[in-house]
Amino acid sequence: MSNYKLNRRKFLKGSTVLGAGLVAPTIFTRSASAYTNEPGKGSVVLGFNVPQSGPYADEGADELRAYKLAVKHLNGEGDGGMMSTFSSQALNGTGILGRKVEYVTGDTQTKSDAARASARAMIEKDGAIMITGGSSSGVAIAVQSLCQDAGIIFMAGLTHSNDTTGKDKKANGFRHFFNAYMSAQALAPVLVEHYGADRKAYHLTADYTWGWTQEASMIQATEALGWKTVKTVRTPLSATDFSSYIAPVTNSGADVLILNHYGSNMVNSLTNAVQFGLKNKMVNGKQFEIVVPLYSRLMAQGAGDAVKGIFGSTNWHWSLKDAGSKAFVDSFGKEYGRPPSQAAQTCYAQTLLYADACQRAGSFNPCDVGAALEGFEFDGLGNGKTLYRAADHQCFKDVLVVKGKENPTSDFDLLEVVQITPVEKVIYEPDNPMFAGGSLGKCNPGV
Amino acid sequence: MDAFLLQILNGLDKGSAYALIALGLTLIFGTLGVVNFAHGALFMIGAFCTVVLNSLFTLTKVTISATEKTPWGTPLEIHTPYVQLWFGDIGATMIDYSVFWSLLFAIPVMLIVGVAMERGLIKHFYKRPHADQILVTFGLAIVLQEIIKQIFGANPIPQPAPDAFVGSIDIGAMLGMAQNTVIYPIWRLIYFLFSAIVIGGVFAFLQYTTFGMVVRAGMADRETVGLLGINIDRRFTAMFGLAAVVTGLAGAMYTPILSPNYHMGMDFLVLCFVVVVVGGMGSLTGAVAAGFLLGILESFASMPAVKEFLLGFSIDQVIIYLVAVIILLVRPRGLMGRKGVMET
């Protein structure tokens, strides 16, 4: 029979030893990892968070194709795509820092809450070191904020709102895609050149962050060149029939309709506007014109013949003849039998840029990677010379002004590049009022 | 005046779609007593009948060009529709008028879908509470739209109207007003005429045929009709099929106005339920009248002048629900609701 008796002193001693024993592994773990999801020796996981369902699912599918191609090229498979034309030659087809690149995918559903949930799952369950993708500014801003808190780098996909690198910018977030301000600065002079300086514009605008910044940017850029704004009308994102918004345009005195719409909104509003005969109407002695500031080839396919002759802007187009674009179109076309969209190009570029930054930094630490991306100047990824500005993590490059082709030769040949606006014409100071408020804050390595 | 007329036309056009869908919905409710939340999916399936037929008409023979290449260096594929190869110009006209052909295609398809839906699933819920019916039909609607999304993708698929009906006409000039003041798309006018014909046809069928008379008698007093030795269930199943056809045709004809996409049914469904409730549950004339009324109200509510009058508040997305609340407060059975329908 044991004569062991538990007294208060023994209980306290025991508790202390037990507590120390339990806490010790956590201390070792914390010190063993310097940042969130530090990869092991064998592989590194990237998280591709794209809309696989919802209204932008086709755009998301093209983004995913681009990501898979990028992973293939990073791992030394295929023809290497834009890796061979990329001005930085740090990537060598052996993955990233010698680790094989693997990936997981999430479905944003083009909803902020769903996008955050899938990004969180990829970070916490799958150990993703970087999150990228998305086809909506609302989603991009929400996921960027999550990545900032989690200590993960976010390489934004298709997001065009000024706010992504304006009032909602974050130190862990980086955008390769252009923005609403740059679109407006590139587009307005072309519109004035073709339609004249004496024009009255009527805006129909999607009622969310991207629509607001697109509308403000277009008003500022066109009014600076002599146009007047007759009216701005906000339309709900859920709208499918725009006929009752279009009808008042016909008698408003406006001779230009600017559709600050994207996705299915753009497809439907443009189709409605054409159905109401706006393209053939004469107002104030001038031909009535329609403008779509942000074009996407996939959306143009949805709108069909309605896009013919309509001006807009785009981040990139597969018909560009520079070495990077040609290499990417060749690689993508052979892999999938179709040319890549602008969403695919920006996502592919973002993946290479991230991998290259890790390679140059010699680390996956988000703060080292961020430092490698800040102020990075590069070429060969399809947009000419490009700068990743340190002040706001926005890429600055030439902007394409495009027009719906009158005589397309295929389902993909819908837009023609009218002008390549040099970056000097669209760049702005970091404290530009359109981007005011918010700050990058400090890089967060997590853990 | 011109803006007023334009919004009236817009309202009639929207109301046409609401009235056609609500007519089918209330027909099913009036005959079978089922609250069918899958009714919007029938509208969507009807629209996709047009997509399918257009795809069949534009099935292409692929030939490889000996000289031309794609931008990525592979030989260029030249696609020529078989219909055009076989029938020449007649084939090209068939493709152009595929929306009208799709009506012929949609009738049997929707009849089969409607009868299969009723016999396969909904009949098992006749004696169950309305909440069960709503749950099962709502689930069915989601399944159907996910199937469509898997097959056709998530993006809208444009379906052009025949060339002869593309563009718009100057209604203002026709009415003696100034030119270019009231311009309206031709196809939307055709849609309005089409819906008037279909609605008139359904009413005539119920009013002037023996079958319709029996159905109306069954709607009024199912048990007595059954006691007379008439198999009213079979007739009601046929009415479910008819409602599916009406809704499917509404969807098929709507495709040049709204490019078909997998969630278009859901977009219309909730509004059409409100239309049915406002019109009066089970009342066919009520559904049609409420459809046009709410369509017109919705159009007027989205005018910038209305927004300015309401000090910047936008009510176009809620006007239908506001009116529904007011009508139900004043007339709890809706505009033309009968006593005893959905009342215990």
Side-chain angles (χ1 to χ4, degrees):
Chain A
M1 190 178 167
S2 170
N3 57 359
Y4 181 82
K5 282 185 182 171
L6 182 68
N7 58 28
R8 190 179 69 87
R9 185 175 296 273
K10 281 181 180 170
F11 174 77
L12 285 173
K13 274 185 186 172
S15 301
T16 309
V17 171
L18 184 67
L22 287 172
V23 168
T26 325
I27 295 168
F28 293 137
T29 311
R30 286 178 68 88
S31 62
S33 180
Y35 51 90
T36 302
N37 292 340
E38 183 175 357
K41 298 273 182 215
S43 63
V44 58
V45 179
L46 307 183
F48 302 145
N49 204 20
V50 303
Q52 297 179 48
S53 58
Y56 297 160
D58 279 4
E59 206 122 35
D62 218 39
E63 291 185 357
L64 207 48
R65 286 185 201 107
Y67 283 131
K68 287 177 181 172
L69 192 64
V71 168
K72 215 170 164 180
H73 293 163
L74 287 172
N75 287 332
E77 299 162 31
D79 59 11
M82 285 202 273
M83 268 171 50
S84 55
T85 58
F86 191 12
S87 56
S88 168
Q89 290 294 311
L91 297 167
N92 50 22
T94 57
I96 307 175
L97 293 174
R99 290 161 180 84
K100 186 174 186 228
V101 181
E102 293 174 349
Y103 65 86
V104 288
T105 65
D107 183 5
T108 68
Q109 301 173 34
T110 321
K111 294 176 186 162
S112 300
D113 51 350
R116 282 175 69 95
S118 61
R120 187 184 295 279
M122 287 191 283
I123 294 166
E124 292 177 357
K125 289 185 193 161
D126 304 313
I129 185 77
M130 178 272 273
I131 298 293
T132 177
S135 205
S136 145
S137 293
V139 162
I141 289 167
V143 175
Q144 182 165 267
S145 164
L146 175 97
C147 289
Q148 177 69 34
D149 295 340
I152 292 286
I153 288 285
F154 175 62
M155 303 295 280
L158 194 158
T159 161
H160 191 243
S161 170
N162 292 343
D163 293 345
T164 311
T165 46
K167 74 177 179 59
D168 295 310
K169 57 184 172 277
K170 299 286 180 206
N172 284 35
F174 292 85
R175 169 161 67 177
H176 171 265
F177 206 69
F178 70 155
N179 58 42
Y181 177 89
M182 294 156 89
S183 275
Q185 293 300 314
L187 191 53
V190 176
L191 295 177
V192 170
E193 183 189 329
H194 284 82
Y195 301 149
D198 181 24
R199 283 282 183 169
K200 295 186 175 74
Y202 191 110
H203 288 252
L204 286 183
T205 302
D207 199 4
Y208 78 111
T209 172
W210 170 72
W212 305 330
T213 63
Q214 182 65 77
E215 178 191 284
S217 302
M218 282 303 291
I219 289 174
Q220 187 203 50
T222 53
E223 288 189 351
L225 296 175
W227 284 25
K228 291 187 177 63
T229 305
V230 172
K231 195 169 265 301
T232 59
V233 174
R234 301 278 163 89
T235 59
L237 198 55
S238 58
T240 51
D241 184 3
F242 290 83
S243 56
S244 44
Y245 297 103
I246 299 285
V249 179
T250 56
N251 304 306
S252 64
D255 45 36
V256 179
L257 172 63
I258 298 180
L259 295 172
N260 299 305
H261 286 150
Y262 191 65
S264 53
N265 274 185
M266 181 279 238
V267 172
N268 292 327
S269 64
L270 180 58
T271 307
N272 286 170
V274 173
Q275 283 171 349
F276 273 78
L278 291 187
K279 265 171 99 174
N280 305 317
K281 201 173 160 68
M282 294 293 287
V283 179
N284 308 328
K286 304 181 193 83
Q287 177 70 43
F288 193 96
E289 303 292 351
I290 304 171
V291 178
V292 177
L294 177 61
Y295 249 138
S296 143
R297 197 250 302 155
L298 293 173
M299 304 309 160
Q301 260 173 283
D305 285 350
V307 299
K308 286 181 179 178
I310 289 178
F311 280 102
S313 69
T314 187
N315 188 57
W316 177 84
H317 194 255
W318 64 269
S319 64
L320 291 174
K321 297 296 176 205
D322 62 283
S325 297
K326 274 175 73 69
F328 184 50
V329 173
D330 275 1
S331 190
F332 195 97
K334 281 173 187 152
E335 187 81 13
Y336 302 115
R338 65 177 78 199
S341 62
Q342 61 170 349
Q345 187 261 349
T346 204
C347 290
Y348 181 93
Q350 284 283 69
T351 313
L352 292 200
L353 284 164
Y354 172 79
D356 175 76
C358 294
Q359 205 78 14
R360 285 185 290 112
S363 164
F364 289 99
N365 187 320
C367 294
D368 297 337
V369 175
L373 283 169
E374 284 178 346
F376 180 50
E377 288 183 64
F378 57 93
D379 200 351
L381 291 185
N383 301 96
K385 282 186 179 166
T386 307
L387 163 71
Y388 237 130
R389 189 160 71 181
D392 52 8
H393 295 183
Q394 169 70 53
C395 263
F396 288 93
K397 48 195 163 30
D398 299 346
V399 172
L400 306 184
V401 175
V402 290
K403 191 169 87 164
K405 222 169 184 174
E406 294 289 352
N407 297 304
T409 54
S410 73
D411 286 350
F412 309 115
D413 182 34
L414 301 171
L415 304 175
E416 60 178 306
V417 178
V418 175
Q419 177 181 293
I420 300 176
T421 307
V423 61
E424 299 78 40
K425 303 266 186 193
V426 298
I427 200 165
Y428 52 88
E429 292 301 315
D431 60 355
N432 184 300
M434 289 267 178
F435 298 82
S439 74
L440 281 176
K442 283 189 177 171
C443 156
N444 177 17
V447 179
Chain B
M1 180 59 193
D2 41 5
F4 183 80
L5 188 59
L6 260 175
Q7 294 299 1
I8 291 272
L9 287 168
N10 263 333
L12 288 175
D13 178 55
K14 274 186 184 177
S16 303
Y18 295 162
L20 281 174
I21 302 172
L23 182 67
L25 202 56
T26 203
L27 207 53
I28 290 171
F29 185 79
T31 50
L32 299 164
V34 174
V35 182
N36 182 21
F37 263 71
H39 204 70
L42 294 173
F43 181 74
M44 175 208 42
I45 292 172
F48 275 91
C49 282
T50 308
V51 175
V52 169
L53 194 81
N54 200 7
S55 306
L56 289 174
F57 278 0
T58 49
L59 271 180
T60 52
K61 184 183 179 188
V62 181
T63 46
I64 305 293
S65 170
T67 51
E68 291 179 275
K69 295 209 164 181
T70 61
W72 44 94
T74 52
L76 185 72
E77 293 178 346
I78 299 166
H79 296 253
T80 318
Y82 282 109
V83 177
Q84 217 164 324
L85 281 175
W86 296 334
F87 306 115
D89 287 348
I90 296 173
T93 311
M94 279 171 72
I95 295 172
D96 187 24
Y97 281 83
S98 64
V99 176
F100 288 124
W101 288 105
S102 71
L103 297 181
L104 298 178
F105 176 62
I107 290 171
V109 170
M110 295 312 298
L111 201 60
I112 292 167
V113 168
V115 172
M117 194 187 272
E118 196 271 337
R119 289 286 94 185
L121 184 71
I122 294 176
K123 78 165 185 178
H124 303 294
F125 287 82
Y126 286 156
K127 295 195 168 62
R128 303 275 283 271
H130 285 308
D132 288 9
Q133 296 172 355
I134 290 170
L135 280 176
V136 76
T137 52
F138 193 71
L140 179 64
I142 291 171
V143 169
L144 288 173
Q145 78 171 31
E146 287 302 311
I147 290 172
I148 292 289
K149 194 174 82 181
Q150 284 301 318
I151 299 171
F152 296 97
N155 267 6
I157 305 167
Q159 301 297 307
D163 282 345
F165 303 113
V166 171
S168 45
I169 52 172
D170 195 340
I171 292 181
M174 288 164 73
L175 295 174
M177 298 162 74
Q179 283 197 333
N180 289 330
T181 49
V182 183
I183 294 174
Y184 207 73
I186 299 170
W187 189 260
R188 285 176 183 260
L189 292 172
I190 287 182
Y191 192 81
F192 175 64
L193 285 176
F194 166 79
S195 72
I197 292 168
V198 172
I199 290 167
V202 170
F203 275 86
F205 176 71
L206 290 173
Q207 200 67 36
Y208 301 117
T209 64
T210 313
F211 190 98
M213 190 180 68
V214 173
V215 168
R216 279 189 295 123
M219 284 169 80
D221 191 340
R222 185 184 183 132
E223 281 185 11
T224 309
V225 174
L227 286 171
L228 291 171
I230 295 168
N231 187 348
I232 194 71
D233 286 349
R234 189 179 293 171
R235 283 173 170 76
F236 281 178
T237 301
M239 290 315 291
F240 195 104
L242 177 70
V245 170
V246 167
T247 310
L249 292 181
M253 280 292 279
Y254 208 67
T255 51
I257 296 172
L258 178 66
S259 300
N261 60 73
Y262 73 98
H263 54 89
M264 67 191 293
M266 279 295 181
D267 296 340
F268 276 88
L269 178 77
V270 180
L271 285 173
C272 290
F273 256 100
V274 178
V275 168
V276 169
V277 172
V278 168
M281 293 296 286
S283 166
L284 300 179
T285 41
V288 173
F292 285 113
L293 175 73
L294 295 183
I296 290 169
L297 279 175
E298 195 184 11
S299 278
F300 275 102
S302 51
M303 287 177 78
V306 174
K307 196 175 174 183
E308 280 162 22
F309 178 74
L310 295 170
L311 305 174
F313 284 104
S314 184
I315 59 162
D316 54 310
Q317 295 292 299
V318 294
I319 181 75
I320 285 185
Y321 306 101
L322 281 176
V323 172
V325 168
I326 293 165
I327 287 182
L328 290 179
L329 280 173
V330 180
R331 292 179 66 88
R333 292 194 186 102
L335 290 175
M336 299 181 188
R338 284 179 291 123
K339 190 179 178 184
V341 177
M342 215 177 178
E343 289 172 3
T344 51

